[in-house]
Amino acid sequence: MSSVMWAAGGTLFTFLMTTLGAALVFFFKNHIGERMQRLCLGFAAGVMSAAAVFSLLNPAIEQTQQMGGIPWLIVTLGFLAGAGMIAAMDMVMRRMRRVRSAGDAARRRTLMFTAVTLHNIPEGMAVGLAFALAAEDGGLSLAAATALALGIGIQNFPEGAAISLPLRQGGMSRMRSFLLGTLSGAVEPIFGVLVVLIANVVRSMMPVFMAFAAGAMMLVVIEEMIPEAAEERDGVTAAMIGYVIMMALDVGLG
């Protein structure tokens, strides 16, 4: 039980950081112009692209190598599966009368929320496992778990904003945008605790989960976010800024 409590404590911190990032939506004015919409969408696209590479694909490759697997095969299959899942989900939503009547903006928001939420699942699992090991070993394991939680928590701040801000710019209320941004990070403590309870089953599948989430995120970014953000130069600039910030956080914090 001690391991579960430690895992819950570590992942609650990362969840809190997502919540703080989502809370940025309360600092924006009521009426948002098209330029601000492009900026927010571009920033979110940059954050998600960098997270897919540096938070998910690179660690998946490293973990597969450590396990003696075939990195390119595991990552490729997981990536394609994640992209395929989002593509299938998109196809279903395009055919649903309710979503079709709501327009492309509603469909895009749903896909973006799904992709980021999927991305947070393996991150929560990684933090949960780290703190479970720290509960058993202490010492250096605790320091490593704390550093991991701190790094992911800081990365989660712009990710929370990357969900809530585009939702707000799309016409959703501040409170609902905030709640959805927060909800995207709620899976971290849930799966952080769950992975401790079934660690032996899940640990070997972590690289696949990471690559799956990366594929889901990249399809949404390429198909739905970049085309609209890139209609003007300022959207492209925002995407680059988002990418650089997330890349620097991922690389700098390990």
Side-chain angles (χ1 to χ4, degrees):
M1 185 58 67
S2 175
S3 297
V4 172
M5 296 300 295
W6 279 58
T11 51
L12 281 174
F13 167 74
T14 59
F15 169 55
L16 175 62
M17 293 298 291
T18 300
T19 301
L20 291 176
L24 290 180
V25 74
F26 293 110
F27 295 92
F28 278 73
K29 60 185 180 179
N30 290 324
H31 302 289
I32 306 298
E34 291 185 4
R35 182 172 184 270
M36 182 57 70
Q37 292 184 37
R38 284 196 306 272
L39 290 175
C40 290
L41 201 61
F43 179 81
V47 168
M48 290 171 65
S49 299
V53 176
F54 297 99
S55 294
L56 297 171
L57 290 178
N58 285 350
I61 292 170
E62 293 174 3
Q63 289 188 25
T64 304
Q65 290 173 335
Q66 293 171 3
M67 294 176 185
I70 306 174
W72 72 265
L73 180 61
I74 297 297
V75 170
T76 299
L77 291 177
F79 188 92
L80 291 176
M85 187 274 291
I86 290 293
M89 182 178 172
D90 187 21
M91 185 180 302
V92 170
M93 285 194 296
R94 287 177 186 272
R95 294 181 178 179
M96 288 173 58
R97 182 176 301 174
R98 182 179 177 184
V99 176
R100 190 166 61 243
S101 64
D104 286 339
R107 181 177 54 81
R108 184 187 303 115
R109 291 195 296 264
T110 302
L111 292 174
M112 186 169 62
F113 173 80
T114 301
V116 174
T117 302
L118 284 172
H119 152 264
N120 283 331
I121 290 175
E123 287 194 347
M125 293 166 71
V127 174
L129 282 173
F131 274 89
L133 293 174
E136 298 174 1
D137 301 334
L140 293 176
S141 295
L142 177 58
T146 302
L148 177 64
L150 180 62
I152 290 179
I154 293 174
Q155 295 162 24
N156 281 357
F157 185 86
E159 288 174 6
I163 288 291
S164 64
L165 292 179
L167 291 178
R168 174 58 181 159
Q169 314 321 321
M172 191 173 290
S173 69
R174 282 194 180 93
M175 181 54 68
R176 190 176 180 188
S177 300
F178 166 72
L179 290 176
L180 286 175
T182 298
L183 187 61
S184 71
V187 295
E188 292 197 354
I190 294 172
F191 281 86
V193 170
L194 180 62
V195 73
V196 175
L197 299 176
I198 55 173
N200 292 333
V201 177
V202 174
R203 191 175 303 184
S204 62
M205 296 296 295
M206 282 289 288
V208 178
F209 294 151
M210 290 180 175
F212 182 92
M217 291 182 73
M218 288 306 300
L219 185 69
V220 174
V221 168
I222 294 171
E223 182 178 18
E224 301 291 341
M225 302 173 71
I226 290 296
E228 182 171 337
E231 288 181 358
E232 299 290 343
R233 177 64 64 181
D234 52 6
V236 176
T237 301
M240 293 300 295
I241 291 173
Y243 192 97
V244 168
I245 290 175
M246 197 66 196
M247 177 181 65
L249 290 173
D250 271 323
V251 175
L253 297 172

